[in-house]
Amino acid sequence: MIGSKAVRAAFREYYFKQKLVEAPNNIEQREFGYAQFGIPGMVRHLSFKGAGELTATLVREVPSDVYCSNALYRFPTLPMQEKQWQGADLIFDIDGKDLHLSCVPSHSYPICSNCGHASPTLEKEYACPACGGKKADYVSIPCAKCIEGSKKEAARLVEFLSGDLGIAKENIRLYFSGNNGFHFHICDDSYRPLDSQARSDLVGYLAGVGLIAESVGVRRSPGSDLAFVKFPRSGLDYGWRKRVAETLDIGASSTIRLTNIVKEKGGYSAFKAELDRITRQMGVRIDPQVTTDVHRVFRLPGTLNSKSGLTKLRCDIARLESFDPFADACQLGSTKVKVKMKTHAKARLKGQTFNIAKEEAELPAFAAVYFMCKGLAEAA
């Protein structure tokens, strides 16, 4: 956990002046928690009566990270088994690291787990140059390709939620996570009663997992791996059926074409495996644990992320393409801060490029905090 006085001071200034923190609806039924600078663990089972009380706590405590439950409880301050769960908002998390983009190694830095030494490049077989340690934590400074990848995934999820599930776009709240991804909050009370299994089924649908071949008209012949085609009466004009039909270039009258495709693949089982590959590729890569956990505490919108010093910031879905998290979510001040760099590092923040090769540098607070939160610098 970052414990620098300079970082805490920048966070304090932000919360003192802040206008972006969003108090959730039904605030008195939520469980809150926060992490503290330099102290492991989290202060949990907190409750607030209103936005003013929440803000006062942020200013007084200056937390490194702030969380709020997606669940509603009758008694949010009691132990988990006594809270009396009343339902939970539906949430989704798209994390850039789960996209496994090819650019990541070029802007990742290994930090020795033993001594904290940072190295400039990702090593194939890591050995700390300072102490010889073999274990490292890897931090990444996301590049434009990383953000574009997360944006595409977010736009795809919006399409599924609005098109397949019929959720009104005004009920889909999209947020930059404050580091390298996006969070979705669904403001539709009809989803609150869903249990973990129902949410897991929903995640499977969105990820394209488990679509059966029969749903697009391919059926196994009894007692063999041969197949025959019989299209569903409801057609191929919506949801996954439509996506698969467009990919295979078939329609509700393409019996012969689909039969030939199945034969070319090698029969029912081979086609089913190909269908699974296609749907997984077209599905949305979301963190299933975030959505299925009905007791999760989730980063509070408008608060700072200690992994970057950036804000969890609400994004307009219609303007997602032009959203620049390294400008829009970079909300800290510009007071000069002296830092000692652990390694050569580069980042673009608020339209400025910081390419720091020298050991000591004086940077605006927003840039200094970013490098320190990443573990690539410390206060001089």
Side-chain angles (χ1 to χ4, degrees):
M1 179 66 66
I2 298 296
S4 167
K5 291 182 180 180
V7 175
R8 192 172 190 274
F11 276 46
R12 179 186 292 280
E13 181 182 11
Y14 173 84
Y15 285 121
F16 185 76
K17 297 180 178 179
Q18 72 80 25
K19 297 180 181 179
L20 297 172
V21 174
E22 296 182 25
N25 53 15
N26 307 104
I27 186 172
E28 70 285 351
Q29 292 180 272
R30 308 281 184 172
E31 178 201 350
F32 288 81
Y34 62 84
Q36 299 170 288
F37 285 98
I39 301 176
M42 185 191 305
V43 179
R44 286 195 63 171
H45 309 295
L46 303 176
S47 178
F48 300 108
K49 295 179 180 179
E53 190 177 347
L54 168 61
T55 300
T57 299
L58 298 180
V59 173
R60 182 180 69 251
E61 301 296 336
V62 193
S64 60
D65 297 279
V66 186
Y67 304 94
C68 173
S69 67
N70 64 325
L72 303 179
Y73 300 105
R74 187 176 180 186
F75 304 110
T77 61
L78 294 183
M80 190 61 67
Q81 64 272 19
E82 300 175 27
K83 289 181 184 294
Q84 295 189 19
W85 188 82
Q86 306 289 298
D89 296 334
L90 184 62
I91 57 176
F92 300 98
D93 178 21
I94 293 174
D95 195 324
K97 73 175 186 299
D98 296 330
L99 305 184
H100 305 295
L101 300 174
S102 60
C103 59
V104 173
S106 67
H107 49 73
S108 291
Y109 301 80
I111 299 178
C112 180
S113 302
N114 182 49
C115 71
H117 182 277
S119 301
T121 57
L122 188 63
E123 305 287 348
K124 291 183 178 180
E125 292 185 7
Y126 179 76
C128 177
C131 72
K134 300 296 184 181
K135 293 185 178 180
D137 297 314
Y138 293 91
V139 299
S140 175
I141 294 183
C143 68
K145 290 181 180 179
C146 294
I147 298 302
E148 285 306 310
S150 295
K151 283 184 182 181
K152 287 180 180 178
E153 215 67 22
R156 189 181 301 177
L157 181 53
V158 171
E159 178 188 330
F160 271 93
L161 295 175
S162 60
D164 291 38
L165 303 185
I167 299 176
K169 287 188 177 180
E170 57 265 29
N171 290 334
I172 303 173
R173 291 187 180 178
L174 172 63
Y175 298 88
F176 172 63
S177 69
N179 189 32
N180 186 22
F182 291 91
H183 294 167
F184 284 74
H185 297 225
I186 306 305
C187 302
D188 186 332
D189 293 352
S190 63
Y191 287 94
R192 281 183 175 173
L194 296 181
D195 62 14
S196 293
Q197 183 56 56
R199 293 168 196 249
S200 180
D201 293 341
L202 180 55
V203 168
Y205 178 86
L206 297 172
V209 176
L211 185 69
I212 61 175
E214 285 78 1
S215 66
V216 293
V218 178
R219 304 167 187 270
R220 186 197 294 269
S221 297
S224 74
D225 197 47
L226 300 176
F228 66 94
V229 173
K230 183 179 180 180
F231 289 114
R233 291 183 180 181
S234 51
L236 303 172
D237 295 329
Y238 63 92
W240 274 111
R241 290 178 179 177
K242 182 178 181 180
R243 292 184 182 90
V244 172
E246 289 176 348
T247 300
L248 299 178
D249 192 23
I250 61 172
S253 61
S254 305
T255 303
I256 295 176
R257 174 169 171 73
L258 184 53
T259 299
N260 290 334
I261 290 175
V262 176
K263 288 181 179 178
E264 289 172 4
K265 296 300 178 184
Y268 178 88
S269 297
F271 175 79
K272 188 175 182 298
E274 176 66 8
L275 179 64
D276 186 61
R277 186 194 66 79
I278 290 172
T279 55
R280 285 177 181 270
Q281 189 174 38
M282 297 172 67
V284 187
R285 285 167 285 187
I286 52 182
D287 186 333
Q289 293 183 344
V290 170
T291 301
T292 58
D293 186 350
V294 296
H295 297 286
R296 194 176 191 88
V297 288
F298 209 52
R299 190 175 300 279
L300 184 66
T303 61
L304 296 170
N305 190 321
S306 70
K307 294 179 180 178
S308 65
L310 302 180
T311 302
K312 175 173 177 177
L313 188 67
R314 188 170 177 179
C315 312
D316 185 342
I317 290 175
R319 298 179 181 176
L320 177 60
E321 189 174 337
S322 62
F323 175 74
D324 180 0
F326 300 114
D328 301 336
C330 191
Q331 296 286 328
L332 295 183
S334 299
T335 303
K336 296 295 183 181
V337 176
K338 291 182 179 180
V339 296
K340 183 178 180 180
M341 299 297 295
K342 296 182 179 181
T343 186
H344 175 204
K346 181 180 179 180
R348 190 171 186 277
L349 301 163
K350 287 191 178 182
Q352 303 177 52
T353 298
F354 298 92
N355 191 353
I356 315 299
K358 55 187 178 181
E359 183 175 338
E360 291 193 7
E362 188 174 63
L363 304 173
F366 63 84
V369 168
Y370 186 79
F371 286 122
M372 284 191 281
C373 285
K374 288 293 181 182
L376 302 176
E378 54 189 19

